[in-house]
């Protein structure tokens, strides 16, 4: 029987979503900082397709081994006019992104719940 | 560190920055008529606040830091009031360089920033709750 990868996938997406939430928080907090350029995380499919071989920790003194590869952040490209202060954050856009994160996270947890129920019903019989 | 708690901390730094800004606005508004007390003395000088983004290497979050509270170097407007205790030899009193309209605009912008940060905090809390709900007993 093939192992089920859904929990792994869901965990990876939850991690990506929470990094995105932190990025949105950084943008909103710096909405009035001169010269701040809004950032966004790379799309989830890119994170998935990137195949960085992870090092295996075989000794407790190994640092950084076995950790999931970091999610890159890059400057957001949008056609908003840059303000005189050099700040490119648009609050409305950030709140919209926050809404997207929320919707995706709700879906993610709902799927995990449903899948967990399925696994449990198989185990309990 | 867990990215959601990073989000909470970043939003909290934003809240702090905006509330300090609101404090500066209130000081400026309160002292909009504060003149000096000796002839020809300088009145209250408007305060300004500056922010900077600060990257925390450990968590990767962009925190806000208040870089400094400075004084507005704009010229003081003068008013003709010979009876005033701060009037100079010609009867002119220097008034504070506070523009109430600018302060009002600044106040509503600080308010908007504060609200946006609060919204982020609320949502981060909801995300945590959703994750914890996964562990709840499902019957």
């Amino acid at each position: 029987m093939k192992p089920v990868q859904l929990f792994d996938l869901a965990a990876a997406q939850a991690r990506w979503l929470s990094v995105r939430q932190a990025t949105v928080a950084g943008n909103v907090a710096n909405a009035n900082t001169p010269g701040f350029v809004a950032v966004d995380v790379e799309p989830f499919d890119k994170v998935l397709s990137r195949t960085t071989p992870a090092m295996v920790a075989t000794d407790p003194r190994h640092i950084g081994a076995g950790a999931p590869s970091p999610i890159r952040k890059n400057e957001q490209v949008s056609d908003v006019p840059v303000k005189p202060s050099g700040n490119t954050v648009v609050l409305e856009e950030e709140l919209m992104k926050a809404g997207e994160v929320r919707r995706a996270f709700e879906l993610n947890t709902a799927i995990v719940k449903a899948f967990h129920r399925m696994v449990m019903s198989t185990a309990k019989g | 560190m867990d990215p959601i708690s990073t989000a909470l901390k970043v939003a909290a730094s934003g809240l702090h920055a905006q509330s300090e800004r609101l404090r500066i606005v209130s000081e400026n508004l309160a002292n909009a008529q504060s003149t000096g007390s000796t002839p020809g003395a300088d009145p209250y000088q408007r305060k300004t606040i500056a922010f900077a983004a600060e990257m925390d290497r450990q968590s990767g979050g962009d925190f806000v830091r208040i870089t400094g509270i400075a004084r507005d170097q704009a010229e003081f407007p003068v008013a003709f009031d010979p009876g005033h205790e701060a009037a100079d030899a010609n009867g002119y009193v220097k008034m504070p360089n506070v523009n109430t309209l600018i302060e009002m605009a600044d106040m509503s912008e600080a308010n908007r920033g504060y609200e946006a940060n609060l919204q982020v905090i609320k949502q981060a809390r909801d995300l945590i709750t959703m994750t914890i709900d996964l562990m709840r007993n499902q019957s």
Side-chain angles (χ1 to χ4, degrees):
Chain A
M1 186 185 150
K2 260 170 55 180
V4 188
Q5 303 286 0
L6 195 121
F7 283 124
D8 254 3
L9 186 64
Q13 203 209 5
R15 197 168 69 87
W16 178 76
L17 284 170
S18 47
V19 171
R20 191 158 195 225
Q21 173 75 8
T23 320
V24 168
N27 286 345
V28 170
N30 286 293
N32 293 123
T33 306
F36 181 82
V37 179
V39 285
D40 200 354
V41 293
E42 55 185 342
F44 184 56
D45 54 344
K46 265 195 192 155
V47 178
L48 269 191
S49 61
R50 206 172 56 221
T51 47
T52 322
M55 289 188 290
V56 177
T58 51
D59 189 290
R61 283 169 296 177
H62 287 166
I63 301 169
S69 60
I71 294 164
R72 284 191 212 114
K73 291 182 190 178
N74 32 29
E75 289 182 2
Q76 191 174 307
V77 272
S78 54
D79 46 1
V80 282
V82 178
K83 289 175 214 156
S85 63
N87 190 305
T88 64
V89 178
V90 183
L91 271 185
E92 290 78 11
E93 218 168 85
E94 297 305 323
L95 292 183
M96 222 174 68
K97 267 199 276 179
E100 269 170 36
V101 169
R102 189 197 174 85
R103 228 174 316 124
F105 208 90
E106 259 167 29
L107 179 66
N108 183 296
T109 49
I111 287 176
V112 170
K113 251 184 210 166
F115 200 66
H116 183 250
R117 210 169 44 232
M118 283 156 67
V119 172
M120 287 315 278
S121 71
T122 327
K124 283 181 191 163
Chain B
M1 200 166 58
D2 167 30
I4 298 186
S5 29
T6 307
L8 280 175
K9 282 188 182 136
V10 170
S13 81
L15 283 185
H16 176 70
Q18 299 296 348
S19 53
E20 283 290 322
R21 184 180 180 191
L22 206 57
R23 196 198 86 203
I24 300 296
V25 169
S26 78
E27 283 177 14
N28 286 341
L29 279 177
N31 286 294
Q33 303 294 328
S34 303
T35 56
S37 53
T38 51
D42 277 353
Y44 173 80
Q45 205 172 0
R46 176 175 178 260
K47 281 184 184 175
T48 58
I49 187 165
F51 300 147
E54 194 175 53
M55 166 95 160
D56 182 40
R57 291 227 169 264
Q58 202 196 344
S59 59
D62 284 315
F63 288 79
V64 200
R65 192 167 52 90
I66 296 168
T67 48
I69 293 167
R71 294 286 184 165
D72 191 340
Q73 299 300 327
E75 241 174 75
F76 298 118
V78 286
F80 185 67
D81 187 1
H84 198 282
E85 61 175 343
D88 60 9
N90 298 321
Y92 286 104
V93 181
K94 283 188 197 163
M95 298 303 285
N97 51 358
V98 174
N99 186 335
T100 320
L101 279 180
I102 292 178
E103 299 306 328
M104 283 299 172
D106 221 23
M107 185 166 79
S108 48
E109 211 180 300
N111 206 16
R112 204 170 82 114
Y114 198 91
E115 265 173 34
N117 278 300
L118 267 187
Q119 211 60 42
V120 170
I121 288 186
K122 268 186 200 161
Q123 169 153 343
R125 204 186 50 194
D126 285 351
L127 294 190
I128 294 173
T129 315
M130 276 185 240
T131 315
I132 292 174
D133 275 351
L134 283 179
M135 287 184 272
R136 262 186 230 290
N137 197 7
Q138 298 156 12
S139 52

